[in-house]
């Protein structure tokens, strides 16, 4: 029993890293841009669907991943336009795109499920070769974090950070906040689609409902990551490592409760409850555990 | 330099909450003018600054800076002409970003933001010197998050940000109103120094009539969306608070209705 559990951990780590990459996408919108973007439930599947259908039709896996990335970028771009150009609140804009993507994903695959067996196709990673998968994922994670660390240190990246921090100040400093929001949403969903493409390869199929509740898992990873790392360092690269670690921890816990005999049907509910609780903590701290401070004056 | 021509703005038009905030506003500023703006509650002072900054478009009228019609420009495009400091110290800076990052963001106001690193090595010394000139000890805290600073410190940093690259026009919207008297005096002193050193054309709203008289070379008083008193030069220097109240009563046919302004 214990050995079984131990044997399942590498697989959990691989899945955790894939969802950790997805959670980095969530981090970009939720933490950096200060927007809760629900597009991700659809765009993770779009990434998986595009990758699966292209590879099964004989396209090289690298090219398939690139096109999956572009599809995700487009999905985020649509949400961005709904939000800025059409003035729809971000949450609703994400839900609308997510719904559109449900149909689009079905059309991409032509059916609800496409098998992508690693025995038949030349894939980057697969469940049956966990060592290779872990190495590929570790390299992907490092590359992604280095790239994002660089990007958010550029003038353009700093303007996205400023937008999420203070819209008013950003406009006063000449930042086109509509543009930076669209850019952030686009980038985020590109990363999420990439994780979907990795997930489809790893699990050996793409499924139209593979993204259901993805935002909750992403948020869980972000929250766990913050809890683990935020005391150690404020550095963005370290925080992103924390987010991926959050994904891995999430899957370790997930694997453990399954081994303890928990009904798998209840897992989504438990994830949601845990996320709700952790989202409530900062609010509770502010409302119930801080002493009243007098006046509106600033010293 | 700045021309406001017949600008009108009504909020919530066609409803019971309709409020005409600017009612045919006209104002021309000369280069280097430092104008203090006073007026009762709802006189249209902040609305005027927001019209210049482009927070929304006026219903009628035009706004020109150095002859360029900026009326159709969105807020972020006009930013290259303007430096702005707000009443709320939280509003002018990004709290989760470092002091130096905030300054670097302001330094790039009006330029295209590309993939160059967001702070150049050479900027560091410049910012340290600027912060030292504030005399608030901030020059040793370049990488501190702005959110850790006090309200007065934040307003001082926002002033620096607003004056970087010498904007054509500096807009100060009651930027000392949320501060305690001592801090307020300090921030006003910094304001005077920055405006004089860079010879910035400035519009400063204040609720304090004494401050309005003591600072700047010209004073305007607003009432019901228009300018009702406009005094400059020697005449302004000789003004007293009583004079201002008298001028206001004469121009508007009413008592001045901002207790805070009279008492402070």
């Amino acid at each position: 029993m214990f050995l079984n559990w131990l044997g399942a951990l590498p697989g959990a780590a691989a899945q955790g890293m894939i969802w950790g990459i997805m959670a980095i996408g969530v981090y970009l919108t939720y933490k950096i841009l200060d927007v809760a973007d629900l597009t991700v439930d659809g765009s993770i599947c779009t990434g998986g669907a595009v990758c699966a259908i292209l590879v099964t039709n004989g396209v090289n896996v690298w090219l398939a991943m690139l096109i999956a990335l572009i599809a995700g970028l487009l999905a985020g771009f649509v949400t961005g336009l709904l939000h800025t150009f059409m003035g729809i609140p971000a949450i609703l804009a994400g839900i609308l795109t997510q719904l559109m993507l449900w149909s689009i994903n079905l059309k991409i695959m032509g059916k609800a499920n496409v098998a992508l067996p690693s025995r038949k196709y030349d894939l980057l990673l697969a469940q049956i070769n966990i060592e290779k998968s872990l190495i590929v994922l570790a390299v992907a994670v490092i590359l992604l974090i280095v790239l994002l660390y660089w990007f958010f240190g550029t003038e353009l990246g700093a303007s996205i950070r400023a937008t999420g921090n203070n819209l008013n100040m950003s406009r006063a400093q000449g930042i086109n906040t509509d543009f930076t929001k669209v850019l952030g949403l686009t980038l985020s969903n590109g990363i999420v689609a990439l994780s979907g493409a990795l997930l489809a390869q790893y699990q050996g199929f793409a499924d139209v409902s593979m993204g259901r509740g993805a935002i909750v898992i992403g948020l869980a990873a972000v929250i766990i990551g913050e809890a683990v790392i935020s005391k150690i360092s404020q550095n963005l690269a370290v925080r992103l490592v924390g987010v991926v670690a959050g994904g891995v921890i999430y899957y370790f816990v997930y694997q453990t409760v399954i081994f303890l005999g928990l009904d798998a049907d209840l897992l989504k509910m438990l994830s949601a409850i845990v996320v709700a609780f952790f989202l409530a903590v900062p609010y509770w701290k502010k409302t119930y555990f801080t002493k009243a401070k007098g006046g509106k004056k600033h010293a | 330099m700045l021309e406001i021509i017949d600008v009108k703005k009504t909020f919530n038009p066609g409803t019971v909450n309709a409020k005409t905030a600017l009612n045919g506003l006209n104002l021309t500023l000369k280069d280097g003018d430092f104008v203090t703006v006073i007026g009762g509650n709802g006189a249209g002072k902040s609305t005027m600054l927001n019209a210049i900054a482009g927070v929304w478009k006026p219903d009628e009228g035009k706004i020109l800076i150095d002859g360029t019609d900026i009326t159709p420009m969105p807020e972020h495009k006009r930013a290259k002409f303007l430096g702005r400091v707000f009443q709320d110290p939280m509003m002018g800076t990004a709290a989760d970003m470092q002091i130096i990052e905030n300054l670097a963001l302001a330094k790039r106001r009006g330029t295209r933001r590309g993939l160059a690193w967001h702070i150049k090595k050479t900027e560091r010394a410049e910012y340290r010197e600027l912060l030292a000139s504030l005399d608030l000890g901030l020059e040793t805290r370049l990488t501190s998050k702005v959110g850790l600073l006090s309200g007065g410190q934040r307003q001082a940093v926002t002033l620096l940000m607003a004056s970087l690259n010498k904007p054509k026009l500096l807009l100060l919207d009651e930027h000392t109103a949320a501060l305690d008297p001592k801090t307020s005096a300090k921030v006003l002193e910094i304001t005077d120094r920055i405006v004089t050193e860079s010879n910035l054309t400035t519009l400063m709203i204040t609720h304090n009539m004494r401050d309005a008289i003591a600072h700047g070379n010209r004073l305007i008083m607003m009432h019901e969306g228009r300018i009702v008193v406009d005094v400059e030069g020697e005449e302004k220097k000789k003004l007293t608070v009583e004079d201002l109240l008298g001028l206001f009563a004469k121009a508007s046919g009413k008592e001045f209705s901002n207790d805070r302004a009279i008492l402070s």
Side-chain angles (χ1 to χ4, degrees):
Chain A
M1 175 76 188
F2 177 73
L3 282 179
N4 276 344
W5 175 77
L6 213 58
L9 287 189
Q15 264 192 311
M17 280 162 88
I18 294 172
W19 283 93
I21 293 174
M22 186 271 173
I24 287 179
V26 172
Y27 188 93
L28 291 199
T29 48
Y30 183 68
K31 280 283 176 185
I32 295 183
L33 210 51
D34 197 22
V35 162
D37 175 32
L38 301 187
T39 316
V40 296
D41 278 26
S43 56
I44 186 168
C45 175
T46 306
V50 167
C51 180
I53 211 73
L54 286 176
V55 171
T56 52
N57 281 294
V59 176
N60 173 282
V61 68
W62 288 100
L63 184 60
M65 298 257 304
L66 179 70
I67 297 172
L69 168 74
I70 293 169
L73 294 171
L74 274 175
F77 183 69
V78 169
T79 303
L81 285 191
L82 289 174
H83 178 42
T84 56
F85 178 65
M86 294 172 73
I88 299 168
I91 291 229
L92 197 52
I95 291 176
L96 291 173
T97 312
Q98 187 196 116
L99 198 64
M100 287 185 233
L101 287 176
W102 181 271
S103 300
I104 291 169
N105 293 340
L106 278 172
K107 281 291 165 201
I108 290 172
M109 295 190 287
K111 52 191 171 182
N113 191 302
V114 171
L116 187 59
S118 59
R119 282 169 276 108
K120 230 171 127 189
Y121 304 103
D122 197 10
L123 302 179
L124 293 181
L125 67 169
Q127 212 156 3
I128 50 164
N129 190 347
I130 289 193
E131 290 82 19
K132 184 189 168 200
S133 300
L134 285 174
I135 293 167
V136 168
L137 287 170
V139 172
V141 163
I142 291 166
L143 275 180
L144 183 64
I145 291 177
V146 167
L147 209 62
L148 288 176
Y149 182 75
W150 164 77
F151 177 71
F152 282 102
T154 64
E155 292 172 347
L156 189 60
S159 68
I160 296 180
R161 286 191 287 141
T163 303
N165 213 245
N166 188 338
L167 268 183
N168 192 68
M169 170 268 196
S170 302
R171 287 195 203 108
Q173 302 306 339
I175 293 169
N176 182 349
T177 52
D178 281 352
F179 172 74
T180 46
K181 280 182 189 170
V182 173
L183 186 61
L185 285 163
T186 303
L187 213 58
S188 160
N189 281 286
I191 294 169
V192 170
L194 215 49
S195 81
L198 291 169
L199 183 62
Q201 294 175 59
Y202 180 77
Q203 65 188 14
F205 64 89
D207 186 282
V208 73
S209 60
M210 69 192 262
R212 184 166 283 165
I215 181 75
V216 176
I217 301 176
L219 282 175
V222 169
I223 291 165
I224 298 169
E226 288 279 285
V228 173
I229 226 90
S230 70
K231 296 257 167 12
I232 304 173
S233 171
Q234 298 280 319
N235 182 293
L236 180 70
V238 180
R239 284 174 162 233
L240 292 180
V241 170
V243 170
V244 177
V248 173
I249 293 170
Y250 178 90
Y251 269 91
F252 278 175
V253 174
Y254 179 96
Q255 207 58 254
T256 308
V257 293
I258 285 183
F259 265 94
L260 293 174
L262 190 95
D263 183 350
D265 289 347
L266 295 177
L267 281 170
K268 284 215 168 27
M269 185 181 77
L270 284 178
S271 308
I273 291 172
V274 169
V275 167
F277 178 79
F278 278 104
L279 289 178
V281 168
Y283 173 75
W284 286 340
K285 263 192 191 158
K286 200 174 77 195
T287 321
Y288 304 113
F289 298 103
T290 42
K291 294 194 183 92
K293 280 184 191 159
K296 179 189 156 196
K297 297 265 177 192
H298 300 279
Chain B
M1 107 114 281
L2 171 77
E3 289 170 83
I4 302 177
I5 305 163
D6 267 325
V7 167
K8 289 186 184 166
K9 179 70 185 179
T10 301
F11 291 107
N12 308 311
T15 71
V16 285
N17 293 322
K19 158 95 180 128
T20 300
L22 294 179
N23 193 7
L25 176 71
N26 283 289
L27 177 67
T28 304
L29 298 191
K30 292 188 290 289
D31 262 327
D33 263 352
F34 180 177
V35 182
T36 55
V37 185
I38 52 173
N41 303 327
K45 308 182 295 290
S46 290
T47 315
M48 172 172 74
L49 257 52
N50 286 339
I52 299 168
V55 177
W56 29 254
K57 299 227 154 55
D59 302 332
E60 279 177 51
K62 270 202 269 189
I63 299 171
L64 283 74
I65 286 186
D66 278 345
T68 315
D69 186 359
I70 62 163
T71 328
M73 278 188 200
E75 195 177 353
H76 66 91
K77 285 234 171 96
R78 298 178 190 206
K80 66 169 171 267
F81 303 120
L82 307 172
R84 292 160 70 191
V85 185
F86 310 93
Q87 179 171 354
D88 181 353
M90 304 299 148
M91 235 163 129
T93 43
D96 292 337
M97 296 175 79
Q98 302 167 354
I99 296 178
I100 186 168
E101 289 182 316
N102 273 275
L103 288 164
L105 278 168
K107 180 86 179 175
R108 284 153 182 79
R109 189 169 57 228
T111 62
R112 248 182 65 94
R113 289 163 210 261
L115 295 177
W117 198 246
H118 71 303
I119 307 169
K120 280 202 216 82
K121 282 215 177 77
T122 49
E123 287 174 70
R124 210 162 269 270
E126 181 192 347
Y127 296 149
R128 187 171 290 123
E129 203 174 303
L130 280 172
L131 287 166
S133 74
L134 294 177
D135 199 18
L136 295 169
L138 294 177
E139 62 276 14
T140 57
R141 299 174 63 186
L142 281 178
T143 55
S144 292
K145 297 268 154 81
V146 171
L148 300 172
L149 305 185
S150 71
Q153 290 173 326
R154 282 182 82 155
Q155 287 303 65
V157 170
T158 313
L159 260 172
L160 273 191
M161 289 165 61
S163 63
L164 281 175
N165 294 349
K166 288 197 186 180
K168 286 187 187 295
L169 180 62
L170 182 62
L171 301 175
L172 309 173
D173 188 355
E174 291 208 49
H175 67 306
T176 63
L179 307 174
D180 65 66
K182 209 177 135 210
T183 316
S184 164
K186 172 84 188 167
V187 170
L188 274 175
E189 183 196 313
I190 295 170
T191 308
D192 266 342
R193 189 177 52 71
I194 287 177
V195 169
T196 319
E197 271 174 13
S198 306
N199 192 28
L200 296 174
T201 312
T202 304
L203 269 174
M204 177 173 95
I205 300 178
T206 170
H207 62 274
N208 186 315
M209 288 198 176
R210 279 196 200 97
D211 287 343
I213 294 167
H215 300 269
N217 66 321
R218 183 173 165 193
L219 180 152
I220 59 178
M221 185 186 273
M222 293 185 70
H223 179 64
E224 291 178 348
R226 274 195 214 137
I227 290 161
V228 291
V229 175
D230 189 341
V231 200
E232 63 186 306
E234 285 306 308
E235 195 187 347
K236 173 184 173 282
K237 279 189 196 154
K238 283 183 279 178
L239 279 177
T240 63
V241 172
E242 286 70 34
D243 292 343
L244 276 179
L245 292 173
L247 280 171
F248 180 82
K250 209 168 108 191
S252 67
K254 282 183 193 165
E255 292 282 315
F256 193 80
S257 67
N258 186 340
D259 292 343
R260 208 164 49 128
I262 300 167
L263 295 173
S264 54

